[in-house]
Coordinates of all heavy atoms in Angstrom, one line a residue:
E508 N 21.0 17.2 13.0 CA 21.4 15.9 13.3 C 20.9 14.8 12.4 O 21.4 13.6 12.4 CB 21.0 15.6 14.8 CG 19.5 15.4 15.0 CD 18.8 16.8 15.2 OE1 19.5 17.8 15.1 OE2 17.6 16.8 15.4
L509 N 19.9 15.1 11.6 CA 19.4 14.1 10.6 C 20.0 14.2 9.2 O 19.5 13.6 8.3 CB 17.8 14.4 10.5 CG 17.0 14.2 11.8 CD1 15.5 14.4 11.4 CD2 17.2 12.8 12.3
M510 N 21.1 14.9 9.1 CA 21.7 15.1 7.8 C 22.2 13.8 7.3 O 22.0 13.4 6.1 CB 22.9 16.1 7.9 CG 23.6 16.3 6.6 SD 24.8 17.7 6.6 CE 25.9 17.1 7.9
H511 N 22.9 13.0 8.1 CA 23.4 11.7 7.6 C 22.3 10.8 7.2 O 22.4 10.1 6.1 CB 24.2 11.0 8.7 CG 25.5 11.8 9.0 ND1 25.5 12.8 10.0 CD2 26.8 11.7 8.5 CE1 26.8 13.3 10.1 NE2 27.5 12.6 9.2
E512 N 21.2 10.7 7.9 CA 20.1 9.8 7.5 C 19.5 10.3 6.2 O 19.2 9.4 5.3 CB 19.0 9.9 8.6 CG 17.8 9.0 8.3 CD 16.8 9.1 9.4 OE1 17.1 9.6 10.5 OE2 15.7 8.5 9.2
A513 N 19.4 11.6 6.0 CA 18.8 12.0 4.7 C 19.8 11.8 3.5 O 19.3 11.3 2.4 CB 18.5 13.5 4.8
L514 N 21.1 11.9 3.7 CA 22.0 11.6 2.7 C 22.1 10.2 2.3 O 22.2 9.8 1.2 CB 23.4 12.1 3.1 CG 23.6 13.7 3.1 CD1 25.0 14.0 3.6 CD2 23.3 14.3 1.8
V515 N 21.9 9.3 3.4 CA 21.9 7.9 3.1 C 20.7 7.5 2.2 O 20.8 6.7 1.3 CB 21.9 7.1 4.4 CG1 21.5 5.7 4.2 CG2 23.2 7.2 5.1
R516 N 19.6 8.1 2.5 CA 18.4 7.8 1.6 C 18.6 8.2 0.2 O 18.2 7.5 -0.7 CB 17.1 8.5 2.2 CG 16.6 7.8 3.5 CD 15.2 8.3 3.7 NE 15.0 9.7 3.8 CZ 15.1 10.4 4.9 NH1 15.3 9.8 6.1 NH2 15.0 11.7 4.9
L517 N 19.2 9.4 0.0 CA 19.4 9.9 -1.3 C 20.4 9.0 -2.1 O 20.1 8.6 -3.2 CB 20.0 11.3 -1.3 CG 20.4 11.9 -2.6 CD1 19.2 12.0 -3.6 CD2 21.0 13.3 -2.4
L518 N 21.5 8.6 -1.5 CA 22.5 7.8 -2.1 C 22.0 6.4 -2.4 O 22.3 5.7 -3.3 CB 23.8 7.8 -1.3 CG 24.5 9.2 -1.2 CD1 25.8 9.0 -0.4 CD2 24.8 9.7 -2.6
R519 N 21.2 5.9 -1.5 CA 20.6 4.6 -1.7 C 19.6 4.6 -2.9 O 19.6 3.6 -3.6 CB 19.8 4.1 -0.4 CG 19.3 2.7 -0.5 CD 18.6 2.3 0.8 NE 19.5 2.2 1.9 CZ 20.4 1.3 2.1 NH1 20.5 0.3 1.3 NH2 21.2 1.3 3.2
D520 N 18.9 5.6 -3.0 CA 18.0 5.7 -4.2 C 18.8 5.8 -5.5 O 18.3 5.3 -6.5 CB 17.0 6.9 -4.0 CG 16.0 6.7 -2.9 OD1 15.6 5.6 -2.7 OD2 15.6 7.7 -2.3
L521 N 19.9 6.5 -5.4 CA 20.7 6.7 -6.7 C 21.5 5.4 -7.1 O 21.5 5.0 -8.2 CB 21.6 7.9 -6.5 CG 21.0 9.2 -6.6 CD1 22.0 10.3 -6.3 CD2 20.4 9.5 -8.0
F522 N 22.2 4.8 -6.1 CA 23.1 3.7 -6.4 C 22.7 2.4 -5.9 O 23.3 1.4 -6.3 CB 24.5 4.1 -5.8 CG 25.0 5.4 -6.3 CD1 25.1 6.5 -5.4 CD2 25.4 5.6 -7.6 CE1 25.5 7.7 -5.8 CE2 25.9 6.9 -8.0 CZ 25.9 7.9 -7.1
D523 N 21.7 2.3 -5.0 CA 21.2 1.0 -4.5 C 22.3 0.1 -4.0 O 22.4 -1.0 -4.5 CB 20.3 0.3 -5.5 CG 19.5 -0.8 -4.9 OD1 19.2 -0.7 -3.7 OD2 19.1 -1.7 -5.6
P524 N 23.2 0.5 -3.1 CA 24.3 -0.4 -2.7 C 23.8 -1.4 -1.7 O 22.7 -1.3 -1.1 CB 25.2 0.6 -2.0 CG 24.3 1.7 -1.4 CD 23.2 1.8 -2.4
L525 N 24.6 -2.4 -1.5 CA 24.3 -3.5 -0.5 C 24.4 -2.9 0.9 O 23.7 -3.4 1.8 CB 25.2 -4.7 -0.7 CG 24.8 -5.7 -1.7 CD1 25.8 -6.8 -1.8 CD2 23.4 -6.3 -1.4
E526 N 25.3 -1.9 1.1 CA 25.6 -1.5 2.4 C 26.0 0.0 2.4 O 26.8 0.4 1.5 CB 26.6 -2.3 3.1 CG 26.9 -2.0 4.6 CD 27.9 -2.9 5.2 OE1 27.7 -4.1 5.1 OE2 28.8 -2.4 5.9
I527 N 25.5 0.8 3.3 CA 26.0 2.2 3.5 C 26.3 2.4 5.0 O 25.5 2.0 5.8 CB 25.0 3.2 3.0 CG1 24.6 3.1 1.6 CG2 25.5 4.6 3.3 CD1 23.6 4.1 1.1
Q528 N 27.5 2.9 5.2 CA 27.9 3.2 6.6 C 28.5 4.6 6.7 O 29.1 5.1 5.7 CB 29.0 2.1 7.0 CG 28.4 0.7 7.3 CD 29.5 -0.2 7.8 OE1 30.6 -0.1 7.5 NE2 29.0 -1.2 8.6
V529 N 28.4 5.1 7.9 CA 28.9 6.4 8.2 C 30.2 6.2 9.0 O 30.2 5.4 10.0 CB 28.0 7.3 9.0 CG1 28.6 8.7 9.3 CG2 26.6 7.4 8.3
A530 N 31.3 6.9 8.6 CA 32.6 6.7 9.2 C 33.2 8.0 9.5 O 33.0 9.0 8.8 CB 33.6 5.9 8.3
C531 N 34.0 8.1 10.6 CA 34.7 9.3 11.0 C 36.0 9.4 10.2 O 36.8 8.4 10.2 CB 35.0 9.3 12.5 SG 33.5 9.5 13.5
G532 N 36.1 10.4 9.5 CA 37.3 10.6 8.6 C 37.0 11.5 7.5 O 35.9 11.9 7.3
Q533 N 38.0 12.0 6.8 CA 37.9 13.0 5.8 C 38.6 12.5 4.5 O 39.7 12.0 4.5 CB 38.5 14.3 6.3 CG 38.4 15.4 5.3 CD 38.9 16.7 5.8 OE1 39.6 16.7 6.9 NE2 38.8 17.8 5.1
V534 N 37.9 12.7 3.4 CA 38.4 12.5 2.1 C 38.2 13.8 1.3 O 37.2 14.5 1.5 CB 37.8 11.3 1.4 CG1 38.2 10.0 2.0 CG2 36.3 11.5 1.3
P535 N 39.1 14.2 0.4 CA 39.0 15.5 -0.3 C 37.8 15.5 -1.2 O 37.1 16.6 -1.4 CB 40.3 15.6 -1.1 CG 40.8 14.2 -1.2 CD 40.4 13.5 0.0
E536 N 37.4 14.4 -1.8 CA 36.3 14.4 -2.8 C 35.8 12.9 -2.9 O 36.5 12.0 -2.3 CB 36.7 14.9 -4.1 CG 37.8 14.1 -4.8 CD 38.2 14.7 -6.1 OE1 37.7 15.8 -6.5 OE2 39.0 14.0 -6.8
A537 N 34.7 12.7 -3.6 CA 34.2 11.4 -3.8 C 35.2 10.6 -4.6 O 35.7 11.0 -5.6 CB 32.8 11.4 -4.5
M538 N 35.5 9.4 -4.1 CA 36.5 8.5 -4.8 C 36.1 7.1 -4.6 O 35.3 6.7 -3.8 CB 37.9 8.8 -4.1 CG 38.0 8.4 -2.7 SD 39.6 8.7 -2.0 CE 39.8 10.5 -2.3
L539 N 36.8 6.2 -5.5 CA 36.5 4.8 -5.5 C 37.7 4.1 -4.8 O 38.8 4.5 -4.9 CB 36.4 4.3 -7.0 CG 35.3 5.0 -7.8 CD1 35.3 4.5 -9.2 CD2 34.0 4.9 -7.2
R540 N 37.3 2.9 -4.2 CA 38.3 2.0 -3.6 C 38.0 0.6 -4.1 O 36.8 0.3 -4.4 CB 38.3 2.1 -2.1 CG 38.7 3.4 -1.5 CD 40.2 3.6 -1.6 NE 40.7 4.8 -1.0 CZ 41.0 4.9 0.3 NH1 40.8 3.9 1.1 NH2 41.4 6.1 0.8
G541 N 39.0 -0.3 -4.0 CA 38.8 -1.7 -4.3 C 38.3 -1.9 -5.7 O 37.4 -2.7 -6.0
N542 N 38.9 -1.2 -6.7 CA 38.5 -1.3 -8.1 C 37.0 -1.1 -8.4 O 36.4 -1.7 -9.2 CB 38.9 -2.7 -8.6 CG 40.4 -2.9 -8.6 OD1 41.1 -2.0 -8.9 ND2 40.8 -4.2 -8.3
G543 N 36.4 -0.2 -7.6 CA 35.0 0.2 -7.8 C 34.1 -0.6 -6.9 O 32.9 -0.3 -7.0
A544 N 34.6 -1.4 -6.0 CA 33.7 -2.1 -5.1 C 33.2 -1.2 -4.0 O 32.1 -1.4 -3.4 CB 34.3 -3.3 -4.5
V545 N 33.9 -0.1 -3.7 CA 33.6 0.8 -2.6 C 33.7 2.2 -3.1 O 34.6 2.5 -3.9 CB 34.5 0.6 -1.4 CG1 34.2 1.6 -0.3 CG2 34.4 -0.8 -0.8
M546 N 32.8 3.1 -2.7 CA 32.8 4.5 -3.0 C 32.7 5.3 -1.7 O 31.9 5.0 -0.9 CB 31.7 4.9 -4.0 CG 31.8 6.3 -4.4 SD 30.7 6.7 -5.8 CE 29.1 6.5 -5.0
L547 N 33.7 6.2 -1.6 CA 33.7 7.1 -0.4 C 33.2 8.5 -0.8 O 33.6 9.1 -1.8 CB 35.1 7.3 0.1 CG 35.9 6.0 0.4 CD1 37.3 6.3 0.9 CD2 35.1 5.1 1.4
V548 N 32.2 9.0 0.0 CA 31.5 10.3 -0.3 C 31.7 11.1 0.9 O 31.1 10.8 2.0 CB 30.0 10.1 -0.7 CG1 29.4 11.4 -1.0 CG2 29.9 9.1 -1.8
P549 N 32.3 12.3 0.8 CA 32.5 13.2 2.0 C 31.1 13.9 2.3 O 30.4 14.3 1.4 CB 33.5 14.2 1.6 CG 33.5 14.2 0.1 CD 33.1 12.8 -0.4
V550 N 30.8 14.0 3.6 CA 29.6 14.7 4.0 C 29.9 16.1 4.1 O 30.9 16.5 4.8 CB 29.1 14.1 5.3 CG1 27.9 14.8 5.8 CG2 28.8 12.6 5.1
P551 N 29.0 17.0 3.6 CA 29.3 18.5 3.8 C 29.3 18.8 5.2 O 28.5 18.4 6.0 CB 28.1 19.1 3.1 CG 27.6 18.1 2.1 CD 27.9 16.7 2.8
C552 N 30.3 19.7 5.6 CA 30.4 20.1 7.0 C 29.5 21.2 7.3 O 29.4 22.2 6.7 CB 31.9 20.5 7.3 SG 32.2 21.0 9.0
R553 N 28.6 21.0 8.4 CA 27.7 22.0 8.8 C 27.6 21.9 10.3 O 26.8 21.2 10.9 CB 26.3 21.8 8.2 CG 25.2 22.8 8.7 CD 23.9 22.5 8.1 NE 22.8 23.2 8.8 CZ 22.5 24.4 8.6 NH1 23.1 25.1 7.6 NH2 21.5 25.0 9.3
A554 N 28.5 22.6 11.0 CA 28.6 22.7 12.4 C 28.5 21.3 13.0 O 27.7 21.0 13.9 CB 27.4 23.5 13.0
N555 N 29.3 20.4 12.4 CA 29.3 19.0 12.9 C 30.1 18.8 14.2 O 31.3 19.1 14.2 CB 29.8 18.1 11.8 CG 29.5 16.6 12.0 OD1 29.1 16.2 13.1 ND2 29.8 15.8 11.0
A556 N 29.4 18.4 15.2 CA 30.1 18.3 16.5 C 31.1 17.2 16.5 O 31.9 17.1 17.4 CB 29.1 18.2 17.7
H557 N 30.9 16.2 15.6 CA 31.7 15.0 15.6 C 32.8 15.1 14.5 O 33.5 14.1 14.2 CB 30.9 13.8 15.3 CG 29.7 13.7 16.3 ND1 29.9 13.3 17.6 CD2 28.4 13.9 16.2 CE1 28.8 13.3 18.2 NE2 27.8 13.6 17.4
G558 N 33.1 16.3 14.0 CA 34.1 16.4 13.0 C 33.7 15.9 11.6 O 32.5 15.7 11.3
Q559 N 34.7 15.8 10.8 CA 34.4 15.4 9.4 C 34.0 13.9 9.3 O 34.5 13.0 10.0 CB 35.7 15.5 8.5 CG 36.1 17.0 8.4 CD 35.2 17.7 7.4 OE1 34.4 17.1 6.6 NE2 35.2 19.0 7.5
T560 N 33.0 13.6 8.5 CA 32.5 12.3 8.3 C 32.4 11.9 6.9 O 32.3 12.8 6.0 CB 31.1 12.1 9.0 OG1 30.2 13.1 8.4 CG2 31.1 12.2 10.5
T561 N 32.4 10.6 6.6 CA 32.4 10.1 5.2 C 31.4 9.0 5.1 O 31.3 8.2 6.0 CB 33.8 9.6 4.8 OG1 34.7 10.7 4.9 CG2 33.7 9.1 3.4
L562 N 30.6 9.0 4.0 CA 29.7 7.9 3.7 C 30.4 6.8 2.9 O 31.0 7.1 1.9 CB 28.5 8.3 3.0 CG 27.6 9.3 3.7 CD1 26.4 9.8 2.9 CD2 27.0 8.7 5.0
V563 N 30.4 5.6 3.3 CA 31.0 4.4 2.7 C 30.0 3.6 2.0 O 29.2 3.0 2.7 CB 31.9 3.6 3.7 CG1 32.6 2.5 2.9 CG2 32.9 4.5 4.4
L564 N 30.0 3.5 0.7 CA 29.0 2.7 -0.1 C 29.7 1.5 -0.6 O 30.8 1.6 -1.2 CB 28.4 3.5 -1.2 CG 27.4 4.6 -0.9 CD1 28.1 5.8 -0.3 CD2 26.7 5.1 -2.2
K565 N 29.1 0.3 -0.4 CA 29.7 -0.9 -0.9 C 28.8 -1.6 -1.8 O 27.6 -1.9 -1.5 CB 30.0 -1.8 0.3 CG 31.0 -1.3 1.3 CD 31.3 -2.3 2.4 CE 32.4 -1.7 3.4 NZ 32.7 -2.7 4.5
H566 N 29.3 -2.0 -3.0 CA 28.7 -2.8 -4.0 C 27.4 -2.2 -4.5 O 26.4 -2.3 -3.9 CB 28.4 -4.2 -3.4 CG 29.7 -4.9 -2.8 ND1 30.7 -5.3 -3.6 CD2 30.0 -5.1 -1.5 CE1 31.6 -5.8 -2.8 NE2 31.2 -5.7 -1.5
A567 N 27.5 -1.6 -5.7 CA 26.4 -0.9 -6.3 C 25.4 -1.9 -6.9 O 25.7 -3.1 -7.2 CB 26.9 0.0 -7.4
R568 N 24.1 -1.4 -7.0 CA 23.0 -2.2 -7.6 C 22.9 -3.6 -7.0 O 22.8 -4.6 -7.6 CB 23.2 -2.4 -9.1 CG 23.7 -1.2 -9.9 CD 22.7 -0.1 -10.0 NE 23.2 1.0 -10.8 CZ 24.0 1.9 -10.3 NH1 24.3 2.0 -9.1 NH2 24.4 2.9 -11.1
K569 N 22.8 -3.6 -5.6 CA 22.7 -4.8 -4.9 C 23.8 -5.8 -5.2 O 23.5 -7.0 -5.2 CB 21.3 -5.4 -5.1 CG 20.1 -4.7 -4.5 CD 20.1 -4.9 -3.0 CE 18.9 -4.3 -2.3 NZ 18.7 -2.9 -2.5
G570 N 25.0 -5.3 -5.5 CA 26.1 -6.2 -5.7 C 26.2 -6.7 -7.2 O 27.0 -7.5 -7.5
Q571 N 25.4 -6.1 -8.1 CA 25.4 -6.6 -9.5 C 26.3 -5.8 -10.3 O 26.6 -6.2 -11.5 CB 24.0 -6.5 -10.0 CG 22.9 -7.3 -9.3 CD 21.5 -7.2 -9.9 OE1 21.3 -6.5 -10.9 NE2 20.6 -7.8 -9.3

Side-chain angles (χ1 to χ4, degrees):
E508 68 277 4
L509 298 181
M510 178 171 60
H511 292 90
E512 181 181 350
L514 291 178
V515 164
R516 287 199 303 267
L517 174 59
L518 295 181
R519 184 179 297 283
D520 290 329
L521 281 175
F522 305 109
D523 195 26
L525 274 179
E526 184 177 313
I527 299 182
Q528 289 184 330
V529 183
C531 293
Q533 183 178 7
V534 292
E536 60 182 8
M538 60 179 59
L539 304 179
R540 292 285 183 87
N542 296 324
V545 178
M546 183 169 64
L547 306 180
V548 182
V550 176
C552 181
R553 177 183 166 84
N555 194 348
H557 305 287
Q559 293 289 340
T560 56
T561 301
L562 295 178
V563 183
L564 288 71
K565 297 183 179 181
H566 307 291
R568 317 293 182 273
K569 287 289 189 297
Q571 298 178 5

